[in-house]
Amino acid sequence: TTVNDSLPRLGTYHEFGESTLPKKIKNNISFANMVSEMKNANFSIFSEELREQLKLIAGQKKKTIIFVARKGYAPYLLCQNCDYVHRCPKCEHVLVVHKKEAGLRCHHCQNIQPILNVCPGCKKSVLDYKGLGIDKAEEKLIKFFKFQNITPPKIISLSNDISPKEEKNIISQFKDSAPVILLTTQKI
């Protein structure tokens, strides 16, 4: 079986096995069952194994890449009272939270809406950022190192919504720095 993808989905990996992985990374990859982690009272976005590895790389001159599946801060904004999910007024797709831009962005038609403090459905202020995007992962990494009282390595983010020039600059920073953690939403 041949899978034409340099970074196959977890389901593909389980369906076809190690043959789906590039030879370079077969020995350097691990998967964490986050349901089991939660059963063991780990409610962090990072598995126990990853947290231990993060502590090690902070003190060593290593480069680490962490893949995050989604752009932005969170995949959606949800009202905790009425379950209202913010959708694009132009195309009805769910709007993605981009805290750095203080906006909700449609990744289909590029429409941008302001982040609301009150739910348009029930008029209550109980909105919550749901899910994990690359910006939230970066925020959680910084908090993790601060909580551990560890000087963090350089943390840089690469997502596919930047210009080629910015992408080249980020990849250069990654190549030229150590220790460094690269958070990315894409294949590199």
Side-chain angles (χ1 to χ4, degrees):
T1 304
T2 302
V3 177
N4 188 19
D5 194 344
S6 62
L7 187 66
R9 289 185 168 84
L10 187 58
T12 305
Y13 175 79
H14 285 296
E15 184 177 348
F16 296 106
E18 277 191 10
S19 65
T20 62
L21 295 173
K23 290 178 184 175
K24 288 190 266 184
I25 65 168
K26 279 185 184 177
N27 297 328
N28 297 317
I29 193 167
S30 64
F31 297 98
N33 182 336
M34 295 308 288
V35 173
S36 296
E37 293 280 334
M38 290 174 74
K39 286 179 183 175
N40 292 326
N42 176 12
F43 300 104
S44 165
I45 65 166
F46 306 118
S47 69
E48 187 61 38
E49 179 184 359
L50 180 56
R51 292 189 310 193
E52 290 304 314
Q53 290 297 319
L54 289 171
K55 290 177 197 175
L56 286 174
I57 64 145
Q60 300 173 358
K61 299 278 186 194
K62 290 194 173 186
K63 297 175 187 303
T64 302
I65 301 172
I66 300 175
F67 290 95
V68 181
R70 300 191 183 268
K71 297 186 281 186
Y73 186 82
Y76 61 101
L77 186 61
L78 175 74
C79 176
Q80 298 295 306
N81 184 57
C82 71
D83 293 333
Y84 179 86
V85 175
H86 292 73
R87 293 188 173 276
C88 178
K90 291 182 178 178
C91 70
E92 289 297 311
H93 282 91
V94 174
L95 295 170
V96 177
V97 179
H98 285 265
K99 273 177 77 174
K100 290 178 181 176
E101 300 167 6
L104 301 169
R105 181 190 291 172
C106 177
H107 287 180
H108 298 275
C109 72
Q110 305 311 314
N111 183 26
I112 298 175
Q113 300 288 312
I115 295 177
L116 304 173
N117 294 324
V118 176
C119 173
C122 68
K123 309 296 185 224
K124 299 214 174 179
S125 261
V126 285
L127 301 174
D128 192 19
Y129 304 122
K130 290 294 187 183
L132 178 68
I134 193 168
D135 297 338
K136 187 190 277 187
E138 182 178 2
E139 181 181 276
K140 297 282 186 184
L141 258 179
I142 292 165
K143 286 180 181 178
F144 168 78
F145 285 113
K146 186 175 183 178
F147 181 76
Q148 296 294 322
N149 222 6
I150 298 172
T151 303
K154 184 174 190 169
I155 299 170
I156 51 180
S157 292
L158 175 63
S159 122
N160 58 1
D161 57 356
I162 61 171
S163 72
K165 184 178 178 182
E166 289 173 300
E167 181 176 337
K168 187 176 180 181
N169 181 38
I170 290 168
I171 291 172
S172 290
Q173 285 181 53
F174 181 70
K175 287 179 181 176
D176 298 340
S177 302
V180 61
I181 296 173
L182 173 66
L183 291 167
T184 184
T185 60
Q186 61 189 9
K187 302 170 210 169
I188 51 175

